[in-house]
Amino acid sequence: MDRDALGSFLTRHRNSLQPADVGVAAGPRRRAVGLRREEVAQLAGMSTDYYTRLEQGRSTQPSSQILGSVARALRLTPDERDYLFRVAGLDAPDRHGGGDYVAPALLRVLDRLTDTPALIISVLGETLVQNEPAVALFGDASQYTGLERSEVYRWFVHPETERRRYPEHDRDRQSRAHVASLRAALGAMGSNSRASELVRELSRSSPEFVSLWERQEVHRRFTDHKTLVHPELGEIEVDCQVLFTEDESQALLVLTAPPRTEAAGKLELLAVLGSQQFATER
């Protein structure tokens, strides 16, 4: 671990960012050249003291999870993230292996979407980042770990909770879409990937999954018109639009409704009231 190189790298990239670059309000009388340390710490989900020690070369070797969170907070490119890991004394992550890394280009768009649900997901259906309306609509995905992070896994292993967000008449279609999407991910990621691990675990735990897997259907479906069920607001009809990264490993999903419709009013209510009142454990 090269503490001096790590500290200099973090400081340089923190100073190169402005609050607007990461969706943070600048506030009056701001003197910082770039982001404040406490702002980076908040974005990365860690204490200001720990992040300060990282910059000042006073910390122990950070974990890969910590470095991934810092890379996301500082909007690092894949090459910059690899360098961050190496100067911290760790191997650079497999760029095709998933994890918490989020493409900076998608994050920049998400930062500007505050009035409608939007989230960034991986090819395995893992929610990587959500805005407040998305948390209010779907619940807080940050609570999940391991295979539970994949919506595909939860859909088949915990159907009693995961499927409540869809009307009963649409659940079979969603099941087929999940399986077809996972097969597409397996084809892209290979037999030694986390996609393969998901297939093995679901094959052991869900007869429904096995039956659908045997259909050999392959496709990825994001752009869609669908009805979601919110525990307080009821059914909400939304249009789902998608923006992919170049390698299609991540996607930004944006949910909207036509202006002046009942659904649009419900989405506005989510945006105004946020997740505190409406989000429930799923």
PDB file of all heavy atoms in Angstrom, residues 40-52:
ATOM      1  N   VAL A  40     -17.565  13.792   0.333  1.00  0.00           N
ATOM      2  CA  VAL A  40     -17.127  12.524  -0.260  1.00  0.00           C
ATOM      3  C   VAL A  40     -17.477  11.367   0.673  1.00  0.00           C
ATOM      4  O   VAL A  40     -17.965  10.316   0.239  1.00  0.00           O
ATOM      5  CB  VAL A  40     -15.620  12.541  -0.548  1.00  0.00           C
ATOM      6  CG1 VAL A  40     -15.155  11.178  -1.049  1.00  0.00           C
ATOM      7  CG2 VAL A  40     -15.277  13.625  -1.561  1.00  0.00           C
ATOM      8  N   ALA A  41     -17.243  11.563   1.964  1.00  0.00           N
ATOM      9  CA  ALA A  41     -17.546  10.510   2.934  1.00  0.00           C
ATOM     10  C   ALA A  41     -19.030  10.160   2.917  1.00  0.00           C
ATOM     11  O   ALA A  41     -19.403   8.980   2.955  1.00  0.00           O
ATOM     12  CB  ALA A  41     -17.125  10.954   4.331  1.00  0.00           C
ATOM     13  N   GLN A  42     -19.874  11.175   2.848  1.00  0.00           N
ATOM     14  CA  GLN A  42     -21.313  10.920   2.812  1.00  0.00           C
ATOM     15  C   GLN A  42     -21.704  10.166   1.542  1.00  0.00           C
ATOM     16  O   GLN A  42     -22.489   9.215   1.590  1.00  0.00           O
ATOM     17  CB  GLN A  42     -22.084  12.232   2.886  1.00  0.00           C
ATOM     18  CG  GLN A  42     -23.592  12.046   2.901  1.00  0.00           C
ATOM     19  CD  GLN A  42     -24.339  13.355   3.036  1.00  0.00           C
ATOM     20  OE1 GLN A  42     -23.739  14.440   3.001  1.00  0.00           O
ATOM     21  NE2 GLN A  42     -25.644  13.275   3.196  1.00  0.00           N
ATOM     22  N   LEU A  43     -21.149  10.568   0.407  1.00  0.00           N
ATOM     23  CA  LEU A  43     -21.440   9.882  -0.851  1.00  0.00           C
ATOM     24  C   LEU A  43     -20.967   8.435  -0.822  1.00  0.00           C
ATOM     25  O   LEU A  43     -21.585   7.559  -1.428  1.00  0.00           O
ATOM     26  CB  LEU A  43     -20.772  10.622  -2.017  1.00  0.00           C
ATOM     27  CG  LEU A  43     -21.367  11.986  -2.388  1.00  0.00           C
ATOM     28  CD1 LEU A  43     -20.440  12.714  -3.357  1.00  0.00           C
ATOM     29  CD2 LEU A  43     -22.756  11.832  -2.993  1.00  0.00           C
ATOM     30  N   ALA A  44     -19.872   8.189  -0.117  1.00  0.00           N
ATOM     31  CA  ALA A  44     -19.294   6.844  -0.062  1.00  0.00           C
ATOM     32  C   ALA A  44     -19.866   6.003   1.073  1.00  0.00           C
ATOM     33  O   ALA A  44     -19.545   4.813   1.178  1.00  0.00           O
ATOM     34  CB  ALA A  44     -17.778   6.932   0.079  1.00  0.00           C
ATOM     35  N   GLY A  45     -20.687   6.618   1.936  1.00  0.00           N
ATOM     36  CA  GLY A  45     -21.284   5.867   3.035  1.00  0.00           C
ATOM     37  C   GLY A  45     -20.313   5.501   4.128  1.00  0.00           C
ATOM     38  O   GLY A  45     -20.373   4.402   4.688  1.00  0.00           O
ATOM     39  N   MET A  46     -19.399   6.409   4.468  1.00  0.00           N
ATOM     40  CA  MET A  46     -18.436   6.150   5.535  1.00  0.00           C
ATOM     41  C   MET A  46     -18.286   7.393   6.391  1.00  0.00           C
ATOM     42  O   MET A  46     -18.806   8.464   6.059  1.00  0.00           O
ATOM     43  CB  MET A  46     -17.084   5.737   4.947  1.00  0.00           C
ATOM     44  CG  MET A  46     -16.408   6.823   4.117  1.00  0.00           C
ATOM     45  SD  MET A  46     -14.864   6.268   3.334  1.00  0.00           S
ATOM     46  CE  MET A  46     -15.484   5.000   2.224  1.00  0.00           C
ATOM     47  N   SER A  47     -17.567   7.264   7.488  1.00  0.00           N
ATOM     48  CA  SER A  47     -17.375   8.414   8.367  1.00  0.00           C
ATOM     49  C   SER A  47     -16.372   9.396   7.768  1.00  0.00           C
ATOM     50  O   SER A  47     -15.450   8.994   7.039  1.00  0.00           O
ATOM     51  CB  SER A  47     -16.874   7.968   9.747  1.00  0.00           C
ATOM     52  OG  SER A  47     -15.536   7.503   9.666  1.00  0.00           O
ATOM     53  N   THR A  48     -16.550  10.665   8.081  1.00  0.00           N
ATOM     54  CA  THR A  48     -15.605  11.680   7.618  1.00  0.00           C
ATOM     55  C   THR A  48     -14.215  11.419   8.179  1.00  0.00           C
ATOM     56  O   THR A  48     -13.207  11.609   7.492  1.00  0.00           O
ATOM     57  CB  THR A  48     -16.084  13.078   8.030  1.00  0.00           C
ATOM     58  OG1 THR A  48     -17.382  13.319   7.467  1.00  0.00           O
ATOM     59  CG2 THR A  48     -15.119  14.157   7.549  1.00  0.00           C
ATOM     60  N   ASP A  49     -14.154  10.956   9.421  1.00  0.00           N
ATOM     61  CA  ASP A  49     -12.854  10.686  10.041  1.00  0.00           C
ATOM     62  C   ASP A  49     -12.092   9.610   9.273  1.00  0.00           C
ATOM     63  O   ASP A  49     -10.889   9.749   9.027  1.00  0.00           O
ATOM     64  CB  ASP A  49     -13.057  10.253  11.495  1.00  0.00           C
ATOM     65  CG  ASP A  49     -11.750   9.884  12.169  1.00  0.00           C
ATOM     66  OD1 ASP A  49     -10.924  10.788  12.388  1.00  0.00           O
ATOM     67  OD2 ASP A  49     -11.551   8.681  12.477  1.00  0.00           O
ATOM     68  N   TYR A  50     -12.798   8.549   8.874  1.00  0.00           N
ATOM     69  CA  TYR A  50     -12.110   7.471   8.161  1.00  0.00           C
ATOM     70  C   TYR A  50     -11.628   7.956   6.794  1.00  0.00           C
ATOM     71  O   TYR A  50     -10.484   7.676   6.405  1.00  0.00           O
ATOM     72  CB  TYR A  50     -13.016   6.258   7.994  1.00  0.00           C
ATOM     73  CG  TYR A  50     -12.304   5.108   7.310  1.00  0.00           C
ATOM     74  CD1 TYR A  50     -11.444   4.282   8.022  1.00  0.00           C
ATOM     75  CD2 TYR A  50     -12.456   4.878   5.948  1.00  0.00           C
ATOM     76  CE1 TYR A  50     -10.764   3.244   7.404  1.00  0.00           C
ATOM     77  CE2 TYR A  50     -11.781   3.836   5.315  1.00  0.00           C
ATOM     78  CZ  TYR A  50     -10.938   3.031   6.048  1.00  0.00           C
ATOM     79  OH  TYR A  50     -10.263   2.013   5.427  1.00  0.00           O
ATOM     80  N   TYR A  51     -12.483   8.678   6.074  1.00  0.00           N
ATOM     81  CA  TYR A  51     -12.055   9.166   4.763  1.00  0.00           C
ATOM     82  C   TYR A  51     -10.869  10.126   4.917  1.00  0.00           C
ATOM     83  O   TYR A  51      -9.927  10.097   4.114  1.00  0.00           O
ATOM     84  CB  TYR A  51     -13.192   9.860   4.019  1.00  0.00           C
ATOM     85  CG  TYR A  51     -12.724  10.395   2.688  1.00  0.00           C
ATOM     86  CD1 TYR A  51     -12.529   9.536   1.611  1.00  0.00           C
ATOM     87  CD2 TYR A  51     -12.376  11.733   2.527  1.00  0.00           C
ATOM     88  CE1 TYR A  51     -12.042   9.989   0.407  1.00  0.00           C
ATOM     89  CE2 TYR A  51     -11.880  12.206   1.319  1.00  0.00           C
ATOM     90  CZ  TYR A  51     -11.716  11.333   0.270  1.00  0.00           C
ATOM     91  OH  TYR A  51     -11.214  11.781  -0.920  1.00  0.00           O
ATOM     92  N   THR A  52     -10.891  10.973   5.935  1.00  0.00           N
ATOM     93  CA  THR A  52      -9.785  11.908   6.158  1.00  0.00           C
ATOM     94  C   THR A  52      -8.481  11.149   6.400  1.00  0.00           C
ATOM     95  O   THR A  52      -7.421  11.507   5.864  1.00  0.00           O
ATOM     96  CB  THR A  52     -10.090  12.804   7.370  1.00  0.00           C
ATOM     97  OG1 THR A  52     -11.271  13.580   7.094  1.00  0.00           O
ATOM     98  CG2 THR A  52      -8.924  13.761   7.642  1.00  0.00           C
TER      99      THR A  52
END
